[in-house]
Amino acid sequence: MSNPLIITIGREYGSGGHQIGEIVAKKLGIAFYDKQIISLAAQKSGLSDEFIANNEQRVKSGLMQNLATSAAYSSGFFSSQYLPLSESIFISQAQVIRDIAAKESAVIVGRCADYILAGRQNTINVFIHAPKEARVQRIMALYHLDEAAALKAIATSDKERGNHYFRYTDLKWGKAQNYDISINSALMGVEKTAEMLVSLAKIEERA
Amino acid sequence: MSNPLIITIGREYGSGGHQIGEIVAKKLGIAFYDKQIISLAAQKSGLSDEFIANNEQRVKSGLMQNLATSAAYSSGFFSSQYLPLSESIFISQAQVIRDIAAKESAVIVGRCADYILAGRQNTINVFIHAPKEARVQRIMALYHLDEAAALKAIATSDKERGNHYFRYTDLKWGKAQNYDISINSALMGVEKTAEMLVSLAKIEERA
């Protein structure tokens, strides 16, 4: 069997990226992991001292490049107590994502999965976005918010996601060149966008 | 008849965006305009004094927002002799692009066409990119260059295109959110990428 197919999805808040990911996973008959599931799995697995020691210097070297691309690098020089909690969490989530990618085909939404799996074969990195007006409408309907609250939620979330992505990857969130495909979900709507990604995944699997 | 379909294509040098545009236009049976054709048409049409007078202040207001989105704004306050040549050329090319979009369905490559037609219905804005290695290979084969020359050509062109785009639009070239769809052409190759865009255009036309 070849390398499992992994589709990572980065998305703007309110763009429908999460729902698109669910539909794609269902249509392809593969697993679906979102931010919550990965966070829970990382919490459950915990962080062994050995694991932290092996990853620590990669965090300290900044940008997590070694962490994301190599499992071979190891260093036990620093004690794990110096590792900030947010970095520990990132490392643990990255490990969960790599474990998933090693064992089964899946759609993975969020958590810098594109970066963590950089260089991996049979991986399609997707970014879903939409014009602000479309996102406001979606958020208002989904969470029964008024327009002002929806706009505020969008601004806050975009900022958080951009910061989180940049902090751990040193790359710009939403830069087209960082993804294989970026789509405005408002162009065709959630269902048709998902269908297009399914077609693309099928072409890619045959290649 | 509904508004003609316009597909604009921005592209990284060596990504195959020009060729993809040609294939898409042929498969859809619509016109194809690239940078050269638009430049020639703009030169041929020239710039009437009246046209310049009507567009001048839009240039001076920066960012060309009025120019790109409205044909109604007019001002004869400044004399055309104060308009820098590069701005005159941009205005003239923008007019050529708007004329095309008013009369026929077409693929338009380059020249900030996405920005010039911003807000237009039945327009799909595409950005084609590819990893540097893939672009180097393509440029070497196409122009019989060695690797160093190909790398240099790519760096120069990316910088020029980014600067040109930013100068006239105040937007970041290659930012996913500025396009409806951005694709890494190396994922599926030039032919399949073009096919995917054709499918997308057909879905969009039915919508």
Side-chain angles (χ1 to χ4, degrees):
Chain A
M1 202 187 99
S2 68
N3 214 4
L5 170 71
I6 299 290
I7 300 174
T8 73
I9 299 186
R11 72 286 174 235
E12 287 187 331
Y13 187 65
S15 68
H18 186 278
Q19 193 189 345
I20 289 169
E22 282 182 317
I23 298 170
V24 168
K26 197 172 172 187
K27 282 185 190 286
L28 290 172
I30 63 179
F32 174 78
Y33 294 93
D34 67 5
K35 185 166 80 167
Q36 279 71 27
I37 299 171
I38 290 165
S39 299
L40 283 172
Q43 278 172 40
K44 206 171 152 194
S45 72
L47 290 171
S48 71
D49 284 350
E50 185 196 9
F51 178 74
I52 289 174
N54 284 345
N55 283 283
E56 192 168 40
Q57 197 155 34
R58 300 173 202 171
V59 177
K60 291 186 184 294
S61 75
L63 319 186
M64 305 245 166
Q65 271 166 352
N66 294 314
L67 168 69
T69 54
S70 154
Y73 183 82
S74 83
S75 156
F77 186 72
F78 295 104
S79 160
S80 64
Q81 74 205 43
Y82 298 125
L83 195 64
L85 184 63
S86 57
E87 265 67 13
S88 302
I89 292 169
F90 182 86
I91 290 171
S92 187
Q93 292 181 351
Q95 190 57 48
V96 167
I97 288 169
R98 281 198 298 266
D99 288 347
I100 292 166
K103 76 173 201 287
E104 62 178 337
S105 291
V107 172
I108 304 176
V109 173
R111 304 293 88 189
C112 310
D114 56 317
Y115 179 75
I116 289 159
L117 300 176
R120 181 183 182 278
Q121 294 292 303
N122 212 17
T123 307
I124 303 175
N125 297 315
V126 178
F127 184 71
I128 307 285
H129 55 91
K132 199 164 273 178
E133 315 80 68
R135 295 158 65 200
V136 166
Q137 291 307 316
R138 188 178 167 85
I139 294 298
M140 285 172 71
L142 263 180
Y143 303 114
H144 308 290
L145 295 175
D146 64 19
E147 193 177 345
L151 275 167
K152 198 175 168 192
I154 286 172
T156 304
S157 175
D158 280 358
K159 197 168 180 187
E160 279 173 6
R161 288 182 188 179
N163 288 347
H164 181 266
Y165 191 82
F166 184 72
R167 173 171 187 183
Y168 291 110
T169 69
D170 201 35
L171 295 174
K172 211 161 162 43
W173 186 68
K175 184 179 172 187
Q177 289 92 330
N178 297 341
Y179 307 90
D180 291 309
I181 184 158
S182 307
I183 317 172
N184 164 13
S185 59
L187 184 69
M188 299 185 288
V190 161
E191 275 289 340
K192 287 199 178 103
T193 303
E195 277 170 32
M196 202 204 66
L197 291 174
V198 168
S199 311
L200 191 141
K202 287 180 177 167
I203 290 173
E204 179 62 6
E205 276 200 311
R206 282 197 303 272
Chain B
M1 202 186 99
S2 67
N3 215 4
L5 170 71
I6 299 291
I7 300 174
T8 72
I9 299 187
R11 71 287 175 232
E12 287 188 332
Y13 187 65
S15 68
H18 187 278
Q19 194 189 344
I20 289 169
E22 282 182 317
I23 299 170
V24 169
K26 198 171 170 188
K27 282 187 190 282
L28 288 173
I30 62 179
F32 174 78
Y33 294 93
D34 67 5
K35 184 166 80 167
Q36 278 71 28
I37 299 170
I38 290 165
S39 298
L40 282 173
Q43 276 171 41
K44 207 172 151 192
S45 72
L47 289 172
S48 71
D49 284 349
E50 184 195 10
F51 178 74
I52 289 174
N54 284 344
N55 283 283
E56 191 169 40
Q57 196 155 33
R58 301 174 202 173
V59 177
K60 292 186 185 294
S61 76
L63 318 187
M64 304 245 165
Q65 270 166 352
N66 294 315
L67 169 68
T69 54
S70 154
Y73 182 83
S74 84
S75 157
F77 185 73
F78 295 105
S79 160
S80 63
Q81 73 204 44
Y82 297 124
L83 195 67
L85 184 62
S86 56
E87 264 67 13
S88 302
I89 292 169
F90 182 87
I91 290 171
S92 187
Q93 292 180 353
Q95 189 58 46
V96 167
I97 289 169
R98 280 198 297 267
D99 288 347
I100 292 166
K103 76 174 201 285
E104 62 179 336
S105 291
V107 172
I108 304 175
V109 173
R111 304 292 90 189
C112 311
D114 56 319
Y115 178 75
I116 289 159
L117 300 177
R120 182 184 181 278
Q121 294 293 302
N122 212 18
T123 307
I124 303 176
N125 297 315
V126 178
F127 184 72
I128 307 285
H129 54 91
K132 200 165 270 178
E133 315 82 67
R135 294 158 66 198
V136 165
Q137 292 308 314
R138 188 179 167 86
I139 294 297
M140 286 171 71
L142 262 180
Y143 303 113
H144 309 290
L145 295 176
D146 64 19
E147 192 177 345
L151 275 167
K152 197 175 167 191
I154 285 172
T156 305
S157 175
D158 279 358
K159 197 169 178 185
E160 279 173 5
R161 288 182 187 179
N163 287 347
H164 181 267
Y165 192 81
F166 183 72
R167 173 170 187 183
Y168 291 110
T169 70
D170 201 35
L171 295 173
K172 210 160 162 46
W173 187 66
K175 183 179 174 187
Q177 289 92 329
N178 297 341
Y179 307 91
D180 291 308
I181 184 159
S182 307
I183 317 173
N184 165 12
S185 59
L187 184 71
M188 300 185 288
V190 160
E191 275 288 341
K192 288 202 179 101
T193 302
E195 278 170 32
M196 202 205 65
L197 291 175
V198 168
S199 310
L200 192 139
K202 286 180 177 167
I203 290 174
E204 178 62 6
E205 277 199 311
R206 280 198 304 272

